[in-house]
């Protein structure tokens, strides 16, 4: 725990979820770093897709926008938004990473507003962007986020992006594509997944230096425990070296 | 068609394809010279109260010059399609140009942070809003481009985004599945920035097209701003490269660096320092007024704005950055 | 009537319908010749579109297929079928020319089959192709066809392509785009349009050398007469010269 | 969703997007070498009973080599998408490959006349048929490419084409208008002929794309035949030119003159004399058997077929015709 920081830990944990030959729809920042790290470690055939149209670029550096030139630099295809989103909808995209101001126990995300009045919100956020679309279509949605009571809330002010909705089979009943949904929530303290029946969030892995209690204390709802909770493996020297020297040499994401 | 559920948001535009057909029937199909100044194009084709859409992806291949001109000419009470709208939204918010917005992504500038000005405006209660997602708005433009009143999609279902949209949920008569219907969005007027166009409006885009091919087909009036005019002979030399045909286009404006301070792929990268100046200036509303006076109201046109921010020299630096030439330039 | 043939007459009559600045969706053969003749006479700004994707080519010769290389030779755009058909559906295309094995008094066309058994037809034809689409979407549908009792029938064996359906407001009620429909039927003997209320076919113009009776005798249903029936103007020397020397120098369409 | 009217035709494929998703979920996304012989590709990916679709426009950029190989390998009981299917339909009819067809345009070869062989087969009662139009089938592929069970359109309504289709009419919940719903068409397997592809399947098409971009996305398995293989570096040099990405593709076969005797835009024009030979030979069923033996069953591959019809010399003539070089060549 001395030789890596929280962001490096989260990116590494996320990268390990991306097996070789998978497809992933990513945004800027940590998700993009995780995908790049995965490509340079165990998953050279990981296919990165950007919602604005870039497919499998040879990223020369971190993009600032999911549509900037870097997202289709030496790409195999520079396409458009409908093509990418519909590729997701057809079931071609395995993973996506999303975020939000709030998340609930079913993995529903809020990136729209705080406060009850929709036309005059207390705080207005950007809205869905492509988040609702990716979460609806991609098989496995993941979140990289700090563990924080104000983020992990009992009830989000606005469901911008679907998790397991009200749990159980409510997502399947909604009409969203079958079999897709939230998969892993990766925080600075641990990793959560969802109990298969109730679809409630549960801790599967705890980061070195933290306890289940730490995670629960920083969460606004009751967390379940997976039958077997592991200790999260910290980044290896090799992972750290690639992340620091090749993925994010200017430390835009992993910080200084 | 039995509607199972419907959003409470207001539909800000008319999805009726027959009304759109009547408009398009009267639109000229003549291949005539449509070149004019951006000032004239905005004056002629962008009216108070119109529903406006902007091409590109917020700060990528976005007609920022046209956004400035719309603000400069003081348009008001417009509708707006907030389809990954970032720096364009920031500029138009600064002019308080619109009073109703279809929202997919607004206020934010992606990794750069949120626009204080856009946020203040959207929290003021002055703007009527209807919620969507990026793909929803893309699909709504696609429906309009197809000439049908809606297309079905499988996103949005089950969320508050749906509840505050103007979409409807129905059961599919082939599969029994619940589907979201995205109503066609025919903007009154749109502006798209392209790499090359001829004087008739036949246009080429390099790199990702985002939602612009559908937008060009969905919109009632279309202004093309282009990095450079090319000959019709060159267009005809390789018709595979044309993605927007002339009959969709009302005005063609040659505006070099028309996406600045955004990124124009294969031309120039975004000016991240200047975009940060915007975000910083917005924090103090009074200081921001001065900033707008300097950067928009007192500028005659986009060329003056470019001069204000380093002119050709700066543009060449951004060009080098775009092409990853001189690594030190990238290191800012 | 000595210096032009029937095909030259029909093509010339068709060409005159295409005003400058109009858009027309055409097939191979006579319609394409008519559009080319129109461009070279009064309508230089006529926009020709082919269903497979060609827009406004500089046709170097008659295409063999509505998708062959000629249909996008020096075109302003080489697009695809959905783009062209949806451009028609949006209301951008003014005219189209169609044909068929049978036509009825409402301009409905059959290009599918003869005989009652659909799964085992007496004669099977190609089917709609793009005809139903063009007739549904383009504002004004025209037909160039020989005047013949076996073609002009009381009831077509199969409505492949919509005319005015059962007449009156039946087409508007069907859900087809409002305001579009059959416009002119051009034969070797005359020109027909449709009575505005009943939508029944009526003779508006009779070719030199023919009478109303000739047309009626070669038609399987009762024809109406327009309030004023004109004599069709034969091709001028200029029209004939352009048609023969520039449009169809090898006389593929106009014959030898 | 209230169905006002429905066609009596049978829906020959499953429009359920969740079933398609399950298939696509398991399809490999690895960018690996997929180059193989056409013979192997047809053997591996085209099975008896499969529903087949063919790219191009009948005799334009149509994978005729693949059609020959399917006939040569004796596939039977297939479903088929007759989407402006001309010479391809003629070839596949000759092999009596299919027993059910979605019809938009079949039997005819446009201005060239009708195929006696295809006509006999379609009048034999051996083939189950469902009627559509060119745009209907294009829209059905588009629905599949969008991952939804249908898209609405405004054609087909009011006709017998509708009555014998498997479409449905509903009332639009936004406008009250009647709409035709085109059910998604996911073919089991498709073949598309392109100008250039890399070994992974990233493909470029020059000129009109017809319905092939949607077809590539709708089909469960996809065989690409290409005039020439190019390097992945060349693909990455200009990603705007790629219209079919590798993850859609199962096999890449380099087949020079793969569209012969059809027209390959920017490569070679159609061999109209040889196409007439087909039509003529078909008039007498016995003579046609001999013709098929010579041209398909006794040919090892497409190269042998090309040799039979003049080899490189003839191909060069057709190339000259394509490029309008030597006017006398055009005059046949």
């Amino acid at each position: 725990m001395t030789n890596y920081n929280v962001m490096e830990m989260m990116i590494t944990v996320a990268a390990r979820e991306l097996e070789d030959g998978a497809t992933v729809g990513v945004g800027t920042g940590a998700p993009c770093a995780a995908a790049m790290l995965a490509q340079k470690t165990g998953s050279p055939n990981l296919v990165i897709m950007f919602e604005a149209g870039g497919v499998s670029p040879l990223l020369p550096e971190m993009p600032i926008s999911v549509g900037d030139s870097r997202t289709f630099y030496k790409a195999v295809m520079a396409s458009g938004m409908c093509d990418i989103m519909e590729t997701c909808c057809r079931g071609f995209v395995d993973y996506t990473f999303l975020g939000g101001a709030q998340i609930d126990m079913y993995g529903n995300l809020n990136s729209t507003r705080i406060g009850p009045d929709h036309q005059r919100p207390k705080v207005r956020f950007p809205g869905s962007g492509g988040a609702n679309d990716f979460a609806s279509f991609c098989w496995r949605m993941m979140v990289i986020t700090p563990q924080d009571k104000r983020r992990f809330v009992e009830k989000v002010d606005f469901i911008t992006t679907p998790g397991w909705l009200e749990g159980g089979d409510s997502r399947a009943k909604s009409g969203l594509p079958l079999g897709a949904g939230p998969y892993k929530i990766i925080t600075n303290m641990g990793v959560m997944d969802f109990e298969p029946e109730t679809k409630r969030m549960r801790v599967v892995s705890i980061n070195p230096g933290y306890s289940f209690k730490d995670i629960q204390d920083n969460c606004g709802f009751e967390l379940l425990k997976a039958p077997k909770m592991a200790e999260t493996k910290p980044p290896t020297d090799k992972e750290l070296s690639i992340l620091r020297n090749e993925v994010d040499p200017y430390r835009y994401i992993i910080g200084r | 068609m039995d509607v199972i559920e419907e959003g409470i948001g207001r539909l800000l535009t008319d999805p009726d394809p027959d009304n759109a057909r009547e408009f398009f029937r009267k639109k000229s199909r003549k291949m005539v010279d449509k070149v004019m100044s951006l000032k004239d194009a905005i004056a002629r084709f962008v009216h108070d109260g119109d529903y406006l859409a902007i091409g590109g992806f917020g700060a990528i291949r976005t007609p920022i010059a046209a956004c400035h001109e719309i603000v400069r000419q003081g348009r008001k009470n417009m509708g707006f399609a907030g389809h990954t709208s970032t720096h364009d939204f920031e500029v138009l918010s600064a002019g308080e140009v619109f009073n109703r917005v279809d929202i997919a992504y607004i206020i934010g500038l992606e990794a750069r942070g949120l626009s204080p000005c856009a946020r203040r405006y959207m929290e003021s209660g002055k703007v009527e809003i209807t919620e969507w997602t990026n793909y929803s708005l893309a699909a709504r433009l696609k429906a309009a481009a197809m000439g049908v009143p809606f297309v079905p999609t499988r996103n949005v279902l089950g969320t508050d985004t749906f509840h505050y949209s103007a979409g409807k949920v129905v059961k599919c008569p082939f599969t029994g599945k619940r589907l979201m219907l995205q109503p066609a969005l025919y903007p009154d007027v749109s502006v798209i920035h392209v790499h090359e166009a001829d004087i008739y409006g036949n246009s080429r885009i390099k790199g990702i097209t985002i939602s612009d091919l559908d937008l060009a087909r969905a919109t009632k009036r279309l202004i093309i701003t282009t990095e450079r005019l090319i000959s019709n002979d060159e267009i005809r030399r390789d018709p595979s490269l044309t993605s927007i045909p002339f009959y969709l286009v009302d005005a063609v404006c040659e505006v070099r660096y028309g996406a600045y301070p955004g990124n124009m792929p294969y031309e120039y990268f975004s000016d991240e320092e200047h975009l940060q100046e915007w975000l910083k200036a917005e924090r103090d509303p009074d200081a921001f007024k001065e900033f707008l006076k300097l950067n928009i109201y007192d500028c005659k046109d986009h060329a003056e704005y470019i001069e204000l921010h380093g002119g050709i020299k700066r543009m060449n630096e951004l060009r080098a950055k775009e092409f990853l030439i001189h690594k030190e330039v990238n290191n800012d």
Side-chain angles (χ1 to χ4, degrees), chain B residues 1-3 11 15-18 21 135 142 146-154 166 168 170-175 177 179 181 183 206-207 239-241 266:
Chain B
M1 193 128 88
D2 268 6
V3 173
L11 194 51
D16 187 320
D18 282 311
R21 277 175 65 88
Y135 179 56
K142 183 178 213 164
M146 290 172 68
V148 292
F150 66 82
V151 292
T153 65
R154 307 189 72 198
K168 296 182 195 290
V170 297
K171 210 173 184 182
C172 170
F174 295 99
T175 62
K177 287 174 196 295
L179 296 167
L181 304 189
K206 278 198 80 176
S240 308
L241 299 180
Y266 305 102

Side-chain angles (χ1 to χ4, degrees), chain A residues 164-179:
Chain A
W164 293 111
L165 298 179
E166 293 146 48
D169 61 356
S170 61
R171 181 173 167 127
K173 281 186 172 163
S174 72
L176 290 170
L178 299 173

Side-chain angles (χ1 to χ4, degrees), chain B residues 260-276:
Chain B
Y260 176 87
N263 170 206
M264 184 68 179
Y266 305 102
E267 297 282 342
Y268 43 90
F269 204 71
S270 46
D271 187 340
E272 292 301 317
E273 289 88 335
H274 182 50
L275 286 169
Q276 286 303 327

Side-chain angles (χ1 to χ4, degrees), chain B residues 171-239:
Chain B
K171 210 173 184 182
C172 170
F174 295 99
T175 62
K177 287 174 196 295
R178 290 161 68 104
L179 296 167
M180 161 81 169
L181 304 189
Q182 309 282 359
L185 169 53
Y186 295 95
D188 292 314
V189 61
S190 301
V191 192
I192 297 176
H193 190 59
V194 304
H195 293 82
E196 298 175 326
D198 70 11
I199 61 173
Y200 311 113
N202 294 300
S203 301
R204 295 173 173 176
I205 291 171
K206 278 198 80 176
I208 55 171
T209 50
I210 311 151
S211 298
D212 289 357
L213 309 192
D214 286 323
L215 175 58
R217 285 152 177 82
T219 193
K220 290 185 180 169
R221 298 187 297 276
L222 177 58
I223 297 170
I224 292 290
T225 65
T226 179
E227 287 289 323
R228 54 187 72 82
L229 286 167
I230 58 173
S231 70
N232 180 253
D233 285 349
E234 171 57 19
I235 286 285
R236 291 187 184 275
R237 188 191 56 78
D238 193 349

Side-chain angles (χ1 to χ4, degrees), chain A residues 24-247:
Chain A
V24 57
V26 303
T28 52
C32 191
M36 288 169 79
L37 178 58
Q39 282 184 328
K40 288 167 194 287
T41 49
S43 306
N45 280 301
L46 179 72
V47 180
I48 298 179
M49 301 173 100
F50 291 95
E51 66 182 83
V55 176
S56 222
L58 302 180
L59 285 167
E61 60 182 18
M62 285 288 161
I64 297 169
S65 158
V66 295
D68 77 35
S69 300
R70 305 319 182 219
T71 63
F72 50 100
Y73 181 76
K74 296 193 183 175
V76 300
M77 182 168 69
S79 183
M81 180 175 284
C82 278
D83 186 31
I84 300 303
M85 289 304 186
E86 290 162 6
T87 298
C88 297
C89 186
R90 286 200 310 282
F92 266 96
V93 183
D94 301 307
Y95 296 99
T96 188
F97 288 102
L98 298 173
Q102 296 177 322
I103 183 170
D104 70 15
M105 71 176 76
Y106 300 114
N108 300 302
L109 293 165
N110 175 15
S111 58
T112 300
R113 64 157 152 87
I114 301 293
D117 184 348
H118 191 63
Q119 294 291 335
R120 195 161 181 170
K122 204 173 129 208
V123 184
R124 175 72 214 195
F125 298 118
S128 159
N132 180 299
D133 312 317
F134 272 147
S136 297
F137 300 149
C138 299
W139 290 103
R140 292 173 161 183
M141 183 263 273
M142 296 196 274
V143 174
I144 301 174
T145 185
Q147 188 77 50
D148 178 336
K149 245 189 161 114
R150 282 166 312 173
R151 256 172 215 278
F152 287 75
V153 297
E154 186 74 37
K155 193 172 156 39
V156 295
D157 285 35
F158 191 101
I159 302 181
T160 309
T161 295
W164 293 111
L165 298 179
E166 293 146 48
D169 61 356
S170 61
R171 181 173 167 127
K173 281 186 172 163
S174 72
L176 290 170
L178 299 173
Y183 176 63
K184 293 275 172 76
I185 311 296
I186 296 161
T187 79
N188 52 316
M189 296 185 187
V191 179
M192 276 78 81
D193 73 353
F194 296 84
E195 194 278 319
E197 290 304 309
T198 61
K199 310 291 190 194
R200 274 183 56 185
M201 203 182 287
R202 67 182 186 185
V203 176
V204 280
S205 167
I206 299 169
N207 291 4
Y210 293 101
S211 65
F212 178 84
K213 185 172 182 301
D214 292 329
I215 302 179
Q216 181 63 74
D217 287 349
N218 286 281
C219 182
F221 52 84
E222 192 197 340
L223 284 163
L224 304 180
K225 290 178 183 180
K228 234 177 107 179
M229 289 191 295
E231 185 179 77
T232 319
K233 283 198 187 108
T236 64
D237 288 347
K238 196 186 160 204
E239 284 166 333
L240 279 177
S241 155
I242 292 171
L243 181 55
R244 290 170 182 173
N245 299 321
E246 297 177 35
V247 172

Side-chain angles (χ1 to χ4, degrees), chain B residues 259-310:
Chain B
Y260 176 87
N263 170 206
M264 184 68 179
Y266 305 102
E267 297 282 342
Y268 43 90
F269 204 71
S270 46
D271 187 340
E272 292 301 317
E273 289 88 335
H274 182 50
L275 286 169
Q276 286 303 327
E277 281 175 19
W278 271 84
L279 294 177
K280 201 176 154 198
E282 288 171 35
R283 287 183 214 158
D284 173 355
D286 289 328
F288 187 48
K289 270 187 198 155
E290 280 306 305
F291 180 89
L292 287 178
K293 187 169 181 302
L294 180 70
N295 284 285
I296 297 186
Y297 296 107
D298 285 357
C299 280
K300 191 177 88 234
D301 55 20
H302 201 61
E304 261 192 47
Y305 178 59
I306 300 285
E307 280 310 314
L308 215 53
H309 297 285

